[in-house]
Amino acid sequence: MQRQTWLDGAAASVSLLCLVHCLALPLLIAALPALSQVLAVPEGFHRGVALIALPASSVALLSGFRRHRSARALALAVLGLGAIGWGAFGAQSASAELVATVIGSVLVSAAHVVNWALAQARARH
């Protein structure tokens, strides 16, 4: 149970960091044009993060699913991970990538919270 709690916590934290990055960095760059050259994110950054987030979240969510057998968290995760994947690998513009990544990160974070709550409820019974 502690492993599951750790996995969901770690995955939710990574999703939250991704969300903060996606929302804060564009605002910071827009507010401070002089720093935009210094804070440029490498082209492959989002793809690299997606390649880490997709399997990490999948492992945590599938591990929880084996315990509680509820598809609610998996449904949110599939939508969220799909949005993150599309944003990283299929989006045709920076704004589409941003929107898809933000929506995906929120959905994946919600999936981990639901997964954690279901696993906790199952452990109490």
Side-chain angles (χ1 to χ4, degrees):
M1 188 64 202
Q2 283 183 309
R3 179 177 175 261
Q4 180 63 47
T5 299
W6 184 88
L7 283 171
D8 281 318
S13 297
V14 169
S15 294
L16 181 62
L17 286 173
C18 180
L19 179 63
V20 168
H21 161 77
C22 289
L23 294 176
L25 191 59
L27 292 175
L28 181 63
I29 290 172
L32 304 168
L35 291 178
S36 66
Q37 296 297 324
V38 178
L39 295 176
V41 177
E43 182 67 31
F45 177 79
H46 289 117
R47 288 183 177 147
V49 171
L51 290 173
I52 293 167
L54 295 172
S57 288
S58 297
V59 168
L61 291 160
L62 289 172
S63 176
F65 176 76
R66 281 190 222 111
R67 285 189 176 81
H68 55 67
R69 296 289 183 201
S70 174
R72 286 183 281 173
L74 288 180
L76 286 169
V78 166
L79 292 171
L81 292 172
I84 289 171
W86 181 81
F89 298 101
Q92 300 299 312
S93 69
S95 59
E97 179 181 356
L98 175 65
V99 170
T101 303
V102 168
I103 290 170
S105 295
V106 169
L107 289 171
V108 171
S109 293
H112 286 294
V113 170
V114 168
N115 198 47
W116 175 81
L118 290 168
Q120 294 295 315
R122 174 81 174 162
R124 280 181 258 160
H125 289 101

